[in-house]
Amino acid sequence: MRNDNDALLVEERTADDLAACVRVLADVHAQGAYPLDWPGDPAGWLAPQALDAAWVARDAASGEVVGHVALCRATPDDLAAALWCAAEGADLTRTAVVSRLFVSPAARGRGAGALLVRRAAAAARAAHRQPLLDVVESDVAARALYERLGWRLLATARQVWDGGRTVTLHCFAAGGQP
């Protein structure tokens, strides 16, 4: 998918993209603490077992990776999916979790985040699954992006992550039907 106004391309991520994605993720983590806890295996973190697909945003002129998003199958510990399923009387197979979204600090403001979220949500909908996500309370910019894109807040809740860290999460569902 191409956005001519911002000279960005969104393409399916390949194995050759992982090293560049890890470099961008390191920059994002250094400047904005995402992810909150740096993973011991960043490339593995970008390719979780539940991964269905992943995309990168590239600068159209240079080909440089400037952003990333993943679409995963929901697991029982995905809070947004659990909340949506409870409200809809549905099971996890009707959901898809948008995750691992990040954009290089140098490329922010060009629309890469919106392009990536839309691409992942479109893939979920094409598979007749509801796109869902959660975002930590401290990530104000991400929450603002989701709200601008029409995602609706399901709830704000606390969750204990591996390692015992308790976090407050805002759980969102994409607007419209899956």
Side-chain angles (χ1 to χ4, degrees), residues 51-131:
L51 181 71
D52 280 337
W55 298 269
V56 294
R58 292 184 192 284
D59 180 278
S62 69
E64 177 184 358
V65 171
V66 298
H68 177 275
V69 71
L71 187 65
C72 298
R73 295 175 302 283
T75 62
D77 62 335
D78 285 313
L79 189 54
L83 290 166
W84 185 84
C85 287
E88 297 294 321
D91 63 51
L92 290 178
T93 62
R94 292 199 40 223
T95 67
V97 178
V98 176
S99 67
R100 285 21 177 202
L101 173 68
F102 54 91
V103 174
S104 164
R108 291 189 181 148
R110 296 175 59 193
L115 287 172
L116 289 163
V117 169
R118 287 182 178 126
R119 178 63 187 96
R125 286 190 176 105
H128 307 288
R129 293 163 53 203
Q130 174 64 47

Side-chain angles (χ1 to χ4, degrees), residues 1-10 60 110-112 115 118:
M1 175 169 23
R2 182 175 174 143
N3 180 341
D4 290 322
N5 294 333
D6 297 309
L8 296 172
L9 302 171
V10 174
R110 296 175 59 193
L115 287 172
R118 287 182 178 126

Side-chain angles (χ1 to χ4, degrees), residues 147-170:
E147 289 171 347
R148 275 193 316 275
L149 294 177
W151 288 62
R152 70 182 162 87
L153 181 66
L154 298 171
T156 298
R158 295 174 62 79
Q159 186 178 48
V160 178
W161 284 354
D162 291 341
R165 179 194 288 248
T166 300
V167 294
T168 300
L169 299 173
H170 300 295

Side-chain angles (χ1 to χ4, degrees), residues 16-41:
D16 291 340
D17 295 323
L18 275 176
C21 290
V22 168
R23 284 191 300 275
V24 173
L25 182 63
D27 289 344
V28 169
H29 180 72
Q31 291 197 16
Y34 177 84
L36 279 180
D37 299 314
W38 183 252
D41 174 13

